[in-house]
Amino acid sequence: MTAPLWTLDDLVAATGGRVAGVPSAEIGGISIDSRTISPGDAFFAIQGDARDGHDFVESALARGAGACVVAEEKLGALPEGGRYVVVDDVFEALRRLARAARARTGARIVAVTGSVGKTSTKEALRHVLSDQGRTHASVASYNNHWGVPLTLARMPADCAFGIFEIGMNHAGEIAPLTALVRPHVAVVTTVAPVHLEFFRDVEAIAEAKAEIFDGLEPGGVAVVDGDVPQAGILIDAAAAKGARVVRFGIGEGLEAHLVRASLQADNSTVMATILGDAITYKIGAPGRHVVKNSLAVLATAVSVGADLARAGLALAAMTPPKGRGERHTLRLGHGEATLIDESYNANPASMRAAIDLLGHAPVGLEGRRIAVLGDMLELGSQGEALHASLAEALVAARVDRVFLAGPLMHALWRALSTDMQGAWAPTAAELEPKLLAAIRPGDALMIKGSNGSRMGPVVEALKSRFSSTRALAEDV
Ligand SMILES: Nc1ncnc2c1ncn2[C@@H]1O[C@H](COP(=O)(O)OP(=O)(O)OP(=O)(O)O)[C@@H](O)[C@H]1O
Ligand SMILES: [Mg+2]
């Protein structure tokens, strides 16, 4: 029998709570959402942005929660005869359990932050390290003040590797999270103008990302993008914490250095030098940015004691995470078109990466490369200029037609030559019929926009209208 995630005794001791009623002696999982409770899980009734978890205790109990971690002050209003661990502050109890999970494990711990590529890098690390030892990693983008402690609290004691995504929209948000995670290796995937409306400039973003090094264990390793102009800020901050710095990128002399990459439509072949060792490997997902991330992945794998050659081999079986370059074949009746689903979020860096990806997609005889783009949000006063500046990237990627949705994308519309202008509409929903009517056999389409621009439903509309087959996918 496998050991439970937590014994009740350990959970009570870690959270500083007291038992009321008869909770299960063994706790199989941790949840903060009553809809995801499996029998035997502990439900933490935390106060969310809109709702109080205590309102869902009854349904958590009905779903078989082994224990509900609840606030002393709310106990009186909760169902009698429930299975409770009663604490002073439920959120703090979750953080205490997170600290206990970190304290009890012998796993090598990785924390991943960066302006883009956190989830992609975290999932690639999960993929690579799972092959070499029991690996625990964040679900989806669980990278904030509740996602990080939740992921820690869910970490089984006997893991060999733990991988944590850490995100931020504002300065000061990473510091308390990295203090919980206490990574052996801290990765900054890159620094780019994202959430710019909350920052003075990109240098300020680099400073905020560098908070991740505050939590590094003594003798820890900082893996940083060595190609960005702000690399010095990251390197200095890491060195100030006594970290060993590993820079990755295309620049000469970097510790994890790209020698050569051959980019194909659905994979890449890479030659690199990783901490002194030459390696050639294949990546089962396309894109220059994926190649770049792979350097961080391999440098990190080596830094947590994994075998480099095995890690490199594992990358061949990697697939793009959902909405980050998945390919679908659209059946048009009299032919096929390719849909590249990049609908998971957008900022200038990931937009350029996706446009580059479209540039490498093959098109049929009569086919065209079509970019379907929605507004990139949270860019502040530079928004219009950052949208207009994509015109150059679209030309460089030999994109034939551009379909645009949203007020900010109108700035790009005005910057395009008329032969590239497909259609513009104020919203994604209004753009959808124009796009559906325009698709021809042989076309390759790439769809991208910030989550708030609602480009995801356009992908769904295309897939249902032209019964698609999913080429590569993985749900994260
Ligand atoms: N190194 C990179 N440079 C540019 N774009 C990238 C890079 N890595 C991934 N991307 C692209 O950026 C988008 C977001 O990727 P991903 O989900 O990995 O980022 P994230 O940092 O986790 O985002 P979030 O802050 O929303 O959690 C995807 O379109 C992905 O393909
Ligand atoms: Mg993410």
Side-chain angles (χ1 to χ4, degrees):
M1 234 187 82
T2 53
L5 179 62
W6 293 99
T7 64
L8 179 65
D9 290 348
D10 285 350
L11 185 137
V12 168
T15 56
R18 68 176 177 85
V19 166
V22 188
S24 311
E26 298 190 340
I27 299 297
I30 305 291
S31 176
I32 59 170
D33 181 342
S34 61
R35 293 165 300 185
T36 67
I37 293 275
S38 299
D41 285 357
F43 171 64
F44 279 70
I46 63 174
Q47 173 76 51
D49 293 337
R51 305 295 297 267
D52 181 354
H54 292 88
D55 296 341
F56 302 95
V57 165
E58 193 169 351
S59 84
L61 289 169
R63 293 183 67 102
C68 291
V69 181
V70 299
E72 188 77 60
E73 61 182 20
K74 301 276 172 68
L75 187 62
L78 296 175
E80 276 179 35
R83 301 175 289 280
Y84 299 123
V85 173
V86 187
V87 297
D88 48 352
D89 175 334
V90 179
F91 217 140
E92 188 52 36
L94 181 64
R95 283 190 291 264
R96 287 182 195 137
L97 190 63
R99 280 187 208 102
R102 179 64 187 89
R104 73 178 179 176
T105 186
R108 304 294 291 171
I109 303 292
V110 179
V112 181
T113 194
S115 298
V116 280
K118 296 181 291 294
T119 298
S120 305
T121 301
K122 180 255 303 176
E123 286 305 317
L125 276 166
R126 182 211 297 273
H127 178 77
V128 158
L129 294 175
S130 298
D131 185 47
Q132 303 196 32
R134 187 170 188 192
T135 299
H136 176 72
S138 315
V139 172
S141 285
Y142 280 21
N143 63 24
N144 63 5
H145 61 292
W146 57 262
V148 172
L150 178 63
T151 304
L152 266 167
R154 287 174 168 177
M155 180 165 61
D158 65 347
C159 282
F161 305 109
I163 309 155
F164 296 85
E165 177 168 335
I166 299 185
M168 61 109 189
N169 296 335
H170 301 89
E173 286 174 356
I174 289 179
L177 301 178
T178 186
L180 282 181
V181 171
R182 295 199 284 118
H184 299 105
V185 181
V187 183
V188 180
T189 58
T190 193
V191 175
V194 176
H195 306 303
L196 205 50
E197 69 184 28
F198 307 125
F199 290 91
R200 186 185 69 237
D201 50 23
V202 184
E203 280 64 36
I205 293 178
E207 284 160 18
K209 300 288 177 205
E211 289 173 24
I212 198 166
F213 306 130
D214 295 355
L216 266 179
E217 289 288 273
V221 179
V223 176
V224 302
D225 182 348
D227 294 330
V228 286
Q230 298 77 20
I233 295 173
L234 300 173
I235 292 164
D236 290 349
K241 299 285 169 195
R244 185 158 68 81
V245 179
V246 174
R247 299 164 301 167
F248 68 92
I250 54 174
E252 281 300 323
L254 302 185
E255 291 76 15
H257 172 229
L258 179 70
V259 177
R260 185 141 38 99
S262 157
L263 305 174
Q264 277 96 44
D266 59 1
N267 69 82
S268 299
T269 305
V270 185
M271 284 172 69
T273 307
I274 306 293
L275 295 162
D277 285 323
I279 178 170
T280 299
Y281 56 97
K282 208 161 184 71
I283 310 175
R288 197 183 303 277
H289 58 296
V290 177
V291 170
K292 176 86 184 265
N293 294 346
S294 76
L295 302 170
V297 168
L298 293 180
T300 301
V302 172
S303 300
V304 292
D307 181 82
L308 175 61
R310 267 179 78 174
L313 276 176
L315 286 173
M318 206 183 97
T319 54
K322 190 169 167 46
R324 299 165 181 89
E326 282 171 289
R327 267 149 213 264
H328 304 268
T329 301
L330 303 178
R331 311 220 177 282
L332 303 184
H334 47 303
E336 290 178 347
T338 302
L339 167 64
I340 305 172
D341 177 6
E342 275 280 354
S343 61
Y344 179 79
N345 231 346
N347 56 56
S350 63
M351 202 57 123
R352 282 169 196 281
I355 291 169
D356 193 62
L357 198 66
L358 178 60
H360 286 87
V363 291
L365 214 51
E366 304 273 295
R368 303 151 303 169
R369 291 196 180 84
I370 299 178
V372 186
L373 311 179
D375 278 359
M376 303 180 285
L377 307 176
E378 296 185 352
L379 292 175
S381 61
Q382 297 187 45
E384 289 215 338
L386 288 166
H387 282 72
S389 72
L390 294 175
E392 227 170 281
L394 289 160
V395 171
R398 294 167 296 139
V399 172
D400 301 292
R401 284 280 189 290
V402 184
F403 287 75
L404 300 171
L408 288 166
M409 278 298 174
H410 203 265
L412 174 57
W413 178 255
R414 297 192 298 271
L416 291 175
S417 61
T418 44
D419 59 324
M420 286 177 81
Q421 290 178 330
W424 175 86
T427 64
E430 289 160 279
L431 183 68
E432 193 180 294
K434 300 179 202 274
L435 177 66
L436 260 64
I439 298 172
R440 298 201 306 236
D443 286 347
L445 289 87
M446 183 279 290
I447 301 194
K448 194 159 192 68
S450 279
N451 290 340
S453 302
R454 314 270 314 136
M455 300 306 280
V458 179
V459 170
E460 294 313 316
L462 282 163
K463 291 195 319 198
S464 65
R465 166 79 172 271
F466 303 115
S467 70
S468 73
T469 39
R470 184 149 120 157
L472 294 164
E474 186 176 287
D475 274 323
V476 289

